[in-house]
Amino acid sequence: MTIGVERLSTARGAESPVPDAGERAAVAARIGTPTLIGALALLSLIVVSLDVLTGEDLRLIPLLVVVPALVSVFCTVRQTVAAAAWIMPIVVVSRLVSGGAFWDIASGVCFTVLACALGVGACSLRIRHASEIARLRSAAVALQRQILRPLPVLTDQVLVEGIYAPIEEDRLVGGDIYEVVQSPYGTRVIIGDVQGKGLAAIGAGFAALGAFREAAIREPALTGVVDAVEDAVARHNAFSAQTGEIERFVTALVLGLDGDGRVQAVNCGHLPPRLLHDGVAAPVPLLRTSVPLGMAELSNEARVPEWLDFPSGATLLMFTDGVTEARDASGAFYPLDARLSSWTRLGARELLDTLHTDLEDFSGGVRRDDIAALTLRRSSSGSRSHPLTVGADARRAAEAFSGR
């Protein structure tokens, strides 16, 4: 994902943006100046001493020209220049003292100066590249938080926790989507899986999320919300077809929770959730599964909602197929229901952490698909909070997303 970073120009010229913490860390020296000076002094003393001992048979001092190149890997430009300024006189004086033909001495001096200059130049390029990577990553994190809300989220009806692990660890967003919206009609939740992977899948997922956020507040009926998301995915596919890209569908499970603790569900080709309550974990039967989003024109049946049981104190687990289709070294699928039966007494956060760790252990750290999972627990009756991530949980969620 390439993200352009624009700089605003004023009448006095372009102003550089203030570097963030990530950029400052990327360009910071990894070796302190006192340590560097001590290391240079000790190295120079050792090499010069060995050179004196070996005499004319083996000249070791010219090898010091590699020092600025080594320093450029770990230090700032200023430190690299200082290292070059330290090494250059030692090597040049040694070459002059050793004598020889004029062109031999001149070529040796020129090589020393060139090597030191290359070390300084390499350091400058490394720092510039590290700064650009840090800025791009900062922009990607900001964009990711617009696509996927940091969790946990507390609404009037439910507390939602979650885990999200894209198949590619260097990306913050994959093809799985989720969202939680507090609306005048209760809390609306969606979790989905976009067909395929890569940037095209992210585009379809973003289209679905944008439509869901708007329709969840506007539409009184849950089917109206789903129809709005269906239209958005269909429009995205039409645009993709015009640009030669592959059309995508989205499997999704959309829930609506009202103030009476009831849960309404519309399943668009997604996996049924699991209910953990009173020491039992079981799949929630969904009898009216419809086609995935973006494929409504292939079916003559309208999407119909159904009611789910969600007792007080229960945990509802929603997830994508990255969980159930994880495999071990022998190719066996992850036994989700068998594992959940022994985790029924865990809290929501502990359940997700245990699930994530167990998935990594089971698959040997090899991901074949994006992984997303949400846990829903009914809020206490006295909680009437706005749907914002709260307190230390917000910081924890943000740190989990930036990774890292």
Side-chain angles (χ1 to χ4, degrees):
M1 180 182 297
T2 302
I3 303 173
V5 180
E6 298 181 354
R7 297 184 178 181
L8 299 179
S9 298
T10 64
R12 297 182 180 179
E15 296 181 356
S16 297
V18 177
D20 61 10
E23 185 177 352
R24 290 194 298 271
V27 303
R30 302 175 189 176
I31 299 177
T33 300
T35 303
L36 177 63
I37 293 175
L40 287 175
L42 179 60
L43 178 63
S44 300
L45 179 61
I46 293 174
V47 172
V48 170
S49 300
L50 291 175
D51 185 84
V52 171
L53 292 176
T54 57
E56 297 293 334
D57 296 335
L58 182 62
R59 308 300 298 179
L60 298 178
I61 290 180
L63 297 178
L64 290 174
V65 297
V66 304
V67 171
L70 295 176
V71 172
S72 69
V73 177
F74 305 101
C75 300
T76 64
V77 173
R78 181 175 298 179
Q79 290 175 320
T80 306
V81 170
W86 178 288
I87 295 300
M88 193 182 303
I90 298 175
V91 177
V92 171
V93 170
S94 171
R95 192 68 185 88
L96 292 174
V97 170
S98 64
F102 170 78
W103 289 112
D104 290 340
I105 296 175
S107 62
V109 172
C110 291
F111 177 77
T112 301
V113 173
L114 178 62
C116 292
L118 289 176
V120 174
C123 181
S124 178
L125 291 176
R126 176 188 65 81
I127 290 177
R128 180 182 300 178
H129 179 70
S131 299
E132 291 176 354
I133 293 298
R135 286 197 296 269
L136 290 175
R137 185 167 184 81
S138 177
V141 170
L143 179 60
Q144 183 268 343
R145 289 176 180 171
Q146 296 301 314
I147 297 177
L148 295 177
R149 178 196 298 269
L151 296 171
V153 173
L154 177 65
T155 72
D156 291 346
Q157 288 79 30
V158 67
L159 172 64
V160 182
E161 297 261 11
I163 56 172
Y164 190 88
I167 186 174
E168 299 182 46
E169 294 186 357
D170 60 337
R171 292 186 179 177
L172 300 177
V173 183
D176 290 353
I177 60 173
Y178 67 81
E179 183 55 289
V180 182
V181 175
Q182 177 78 73
S183 77
Y185 314 102
T187 300
R188 269 77 187 269
V189 182
I190 185 174
I191 188 170
D193 186 359
V194 183
Q195 175 199 13
K197 302 176 179 64
L199 296 179
I202 295 174
F206 187 65
L209 286 177
F212 176 80
R213 288 165 179 158
E214 180 180 352
I217 297 176
R218 184 189 66 237
E219 297 291 338
L222 193 62
T223 50
V225 176
V226 176
D227 290 341
V229 181
E230 166 69 36
D231 293 341
V233 175
R235 288 193 299 269
H236 177 82
N237 283 336
F239 178 78
S240 297
Q242 293 174 1
T243 58
E245 297 179 3
I246 300 176
E247 299 181 15
R248 310 275 172 171
F249 63 81
V250 182
T251 64
L253 177 62
V254 184
L255 303 183
L257 298 92
D258 61 21
D260 297 328
R262 299 178 301 174
V263 181
Q264 197 177 32
V266 176
N267 187 12
C268 304
H270 199 73
L271 297 169
R274 302 303 194 259
L275 185 68
L276 288 74
H277 185 55
D278 287 341
V280 177
V284 177
L286 296 175
L287 306 177
R288 300 176 179 177
T289 301
S290 60
V291 296
L293 299 169
M295 302 179 67
E297 62 181 12
L298 302 180
S299 174
N300 295 325
E301 298 182 3
R303 293 188 171 96
V304 180
E306 54 187 309
W307 293 98
L308 307 181
D309 292 329
F310 189 21
S312 178
T315 299
L316 191 64
L317 177 67
M318 307 167 67
F319 51 89
T320 59
D321 59 8
V323 174
T324 55
E325 294 183 3
R327 303 190 184 195
D328 62 10
S330 66
F333 289 106
Y334 182 71
L336 175 63
D337 292 319
R339 302 298 174 93
L340 287 178
S341 62
S342 60
W343 300 338
T344 55
R345 302 298 182 183
L346 299 180
R349 183 70 258 169
E350 188 179 2
L351 171 64
L352 289 170
D353 292 340
T354 303
L355 173 62
H356 193 192
T357 301
D358 194 54
L359 276 170
E360 292 291 317
D361 294 340
F362 180 84
S363 62
V366 179
R367 296 177 188 165
R368 293 177 172 83
D369 199 357
D370 303 316
I371 294 174
L374 302 178
T375 57
L376 283 67
R377 290 182 66 89
R378 288 172 54 184
S379 304
S380 60
S381 58
S383 174
R384 305 298 298 175
S385 62
H386 192 71
L388 297 176
T389 313
V390 291
D393 288 336
R395 292 189 293 273
R396 173 173 58 76
E399 291 171 358
F401 273 118
S402 55
R404 332 195 164 248

